[in-house]
Amino acid sequence: MGKVFFSVGMTLDGFMAPEGMDLAHADDPSFKNWLSQWMELQKWVFEQRFFRENLKLGEGGETGQDNRILEETFERTGVSIMGKRMFEGGERFWPEEAPFHTPVFVLTHQVRSPWERPGGTTFHFVNDGIESALRRAREVAGGRDIRIAGGANAILQYLNAGLIDEFSIALAPVFFGGGTRLFDGVDARRISVEIVPAIASSMVTHLRYRVAASPPAS
Amino acid sequence: MGKVFFSVGMTLDGFMAPEGMDLAHADDPSFKNWLSQWMELQKWVFEQRFFRENLKLGEGGETGQDNRILEETFERTGVSIMGKRMFEGGERFWPEEAPFHTPVFVLTHQVRSPWERPGGTTFHFVNDGIESALRRAREVAGGRDIRIAGGANAILQYLNAGLIDEFSIALAPVFFGGGTRLFDGVDARRISVEIVPAIASSMVTHLRYRVAASPPAS
């Protein structure tokens, strides 16, 4: 059976998204501020060939270890699960050919029919919680792994419920000073992790962990 | 001229000290709780031979890469500077032969004569700010580096003033869920850092950074 994992970027001060990174701010002047902060965090990603091709950002890009890590994460992923706000932001910014190329389950209260995109991505809207989304994801993952894509809230719900097997964090040499923390609200008494040795790079540090003692899912 | 650096432990959720780690709580029942949390964060250190010998904790201990890193940090340090609360905690818990074996400058409002310990550690109490402490530290560092030992508040003051050249963080696979954050209050607009590639280990990840663009000291 495939593993459940997440793989995200985090600043040195613990943030995965800057202040104001939501649809309400997408059109106001502070938009540029969060976008430039977010680009600092994701800078290494935008320089990788695999990412550039997948998002149709143009030719070229790095082809070393960082690129291989992105590609491996993509290849292992049979299904993604994401929160409503991540979807809403992506719906606005992804190219028509959304970059998943697999089924994607969106955690939302909105009732909506599946939304099929060119290139193999189909968004399914799940209204009955994280465990239901995970069950449905398993049915279509074809033995590959299931990625909890984000945002922080969806990741924390799965982590605290003991449903995450492993995760990786691309720790960027960046400070935000504010925003959405990745681990805000983590159940520190229940969740314990073990190191899988990090992969060093000069652009970002690839931290890797196995969740050692998952509590039983409630 | 020696470099100014800090080298501390941090949890995956960004804390360098658990909730209640202060003298006010040293004798109440919650003491055990912070102590056990802190021991989780520092666990890898207590298993290293160099640390065990230096704190007179007994024979044995690991002698690999993690041990070497601790020893190198000790060897490069000609002087330490610390905040008042770190000193007060240490005054209570360090062995008589304090583990510094160099001059130590304590940032405090208390006026007090130098306090000499067996083994070469002398504590000097500085009442006129971080820059004065640093000047005095340089005078006696003998060309070796100056370590801002802690706590978080002293480190942040030096970092935000542009006085830190480089730092390392032993990132432990531990969550606190609360406590004192290392980077709370970092001046994200002014401080920018570059990666020195991390050193991976199965106990802790040794993150290393150079401060790239220190603002001029005010």
Side-chain angles (χ1 to χ4, degrees):
Chain A
M1 197 166 71
K3 290 190 169 152
V4 182
F5 76 103
F6 66 86
S7 180
V8 296
M10 185 171 88
T11 66
L12 203 38
D13 51 349
F15 297 99
M16 68 174 273
E19 206 97 62
M21 184 171 175
D22 52 59
L23 274 191
H25 292 84
D27 291 314
D28 80 14
S30 66
F31 167 75
K32 279 197 180 138
N33 188 35
W34 78 245
L35 188 61
S36 72
Q37 282 195 293
W38 188 78
M39 287 297 290
E40 274 301 300
L41 173 61
Q42 302 293 345
K43 188 167 145 195
W44 73 278
V45 174
F46 280 85
E47 296 182 15
Q48 306 308 316
R49 183 176 198 149
F50 174 79
F51 183 82
R52 299 183 62 78
E53 285 180 352
N54 194 32
L55 270 171
K56 307 200 178 305
L57 298 176
E59 298 289 304
E62 304 286 331
T63 57
Q65 175 186 261
D66 292 329
N67 189 59
R68 219 153 43 235
I69 288 171
L70 282 183
E71 192 159 8
E72 281 165 11
T73 301
F74 178 84
E75 294 295 344
R76 69 183 284 195
T77 303
V79 184
S80 289
I81 297 176
M82 67 181 60
K84 163 188 183 292
R85 269 192 296 186
M86 178 174 174
F87 171 75
E88 285 173 352
E91 191 177 15
R92 183 167 178 142
F93 293 109
W94 291 317
E96 202 194 350
E97 189 171 314
F100 301 94
H101 309 288
T102 66
V104 175
F105 291 85
V106 180
L107 305 162
T108 179
H109 293 293
Q110 194 195 1
V111 178
R112 180 170 165 182
S113 322
W115 187 45
E116 219 172 298
R117 308 306 297 144
T121 302
T122 302
F123 294 97
H124 301 271
F125 302 89
V126 182
N127 309 129
D128 53 354
I130 63 169
E131 292 179 39
S132 164
L134 185 54
R135 260 193 311 275
R136 292 182 56 190
R138 284 205 193 283
E139 285 164 15
V140 296
R144 284 198 291 166
D145 295 332
I146 296 166
R147 179 177 186 172
I148 312 303
N153 187 270
I155 287 171
L156 251 278
Q157 282 188 59
Y158 278 100
L159 184 61
N160 283 344
L163 298 171
I164 300 286
D165 297 306
E166 53 191 48
F167 59 91
S168 62
I169 297 170
L171 189 69
V174 173
F175 295 113
F176 279 175
T180 305
R181 288 188 192 280
L182 174 55
F183 288 119
D184 208 12
V186 65
D187 190 341
R189 287 181 206 187
R190 293 174 72 197
I191 304 303
S192 90
V193 301
E194 284 168 3
I195 287 183
V196 178
I199 299 171
S201 148
S202 59
M203 299 196 71
V204 77
T205 306
H206 301 281
L207 304 169
R208 303 181 298 172
Y209 300 90
R210 227 183 337 261
V211 180
S214 310
S218 56
Chain B
M1 197 167 68
K3 290 190 169 151
V4 182
F5 77 102
F6 66 85
S7 179
V8 295
M10 186 172 86
T11 66
L12 203 38
D13 51 350
F15 297 98
M16 69 174 274
E19 206 97 63
M21 185 170 174
D22 51 60
L23 274 191
H25 291 84
D27 291 313
D28 80 13
S30 66
F31 167 75
K32 279 198 179 138
N33 187 36
W34 78 245
L35 188 60
S36 71
Q37 282 195 293
W38 188 78
M39 287 296 291
E40 275 301 300
L41 172 61
Q42 302 293 346
K43 189 167 142 196
W44 73 279
V45 174
F46 281 85
E47 296 182 16
Q48 307 306 317
R49 182 177 199 148
F50 174 78
F51 183 82
R52 300 184 62 78
E53 285 179 353
N54 193 32
L55 271 172
K56 307 199 179 306
L57 297 176
E59 298 289 305
E62 304 287 331
T63 57
Q65 174 185 260
D66 293 329
N67 189 59
R68 217 152 46 235
I69 288 170
L70 282 182
E71 193 159 6
E72 281 166 11
T73 302
F74 178 84
E75 294 295 344
R76 70 183 283 194
T77 303
V79 184
S80 289
I81 297 176
M82 69 182 59
K84 162 189 185 289
R85 269 192 296 184
M86 179 174 173
F87 170 75
E88 285 173 350
E91 191 177 16
R92 184 168 176 139
F93 293 110
W94 291 317
E96 202 193 349
E97 189 172 314
F100 301 95
H101 311 288
T102 67
V104 175
F105 291 85
V106 180
L107 305 163
T108 178
H109 294 293
Q110 195 196 0
V111 177
R112 180 171 164 181
S113 320
W115 187 45
E116 219 172 298
R117 309 306 297 144
T121 303
T122 302
F123 294 96
H124 301 272
F125 302 87
V126 182
N127 308 130
D128 53 354
I130 63 170
E131 291 179 39
S132 164
L134 184 55
R135 261 193 311 273
R136 291 183 56 190
R138 285 205 192 283
E139 286 165 13
V140 296
R144 284 198 291 166
D145 295 333
I146 295 166
R147 179 178 186 172
I148 312 302
N153 187 269
I155 288 172
L156 252 277
Q157 283 189 58
Y158 279 100
L159 184 62
N160 283 343
L163 298 170
I164 300 286
D165 297 307
E166 53 190 48
F167 60 90
S168 62
I169 297 170
L171 189 69
V174 172
F175 296 114
F176 279 175
T180 305
R181 287 188 192 280
L182 175 54
F183 288 119
D184 208 11
V186 65
D187 189 343
R189 286 181 207 185
R190 292 175 72 199
I191 305 304
S192 90
V193 301
E194 285 168 3
I195 287 183
V196 178
I199 300 171
S201 147
S202 59
M203 300 196 71
V204 77
T205 306
H206 301 280
L207 304 169
R208 303 182 298 173
Y209 299 91
R210 228 182 337 261
V211 179
S214 308
S218 55

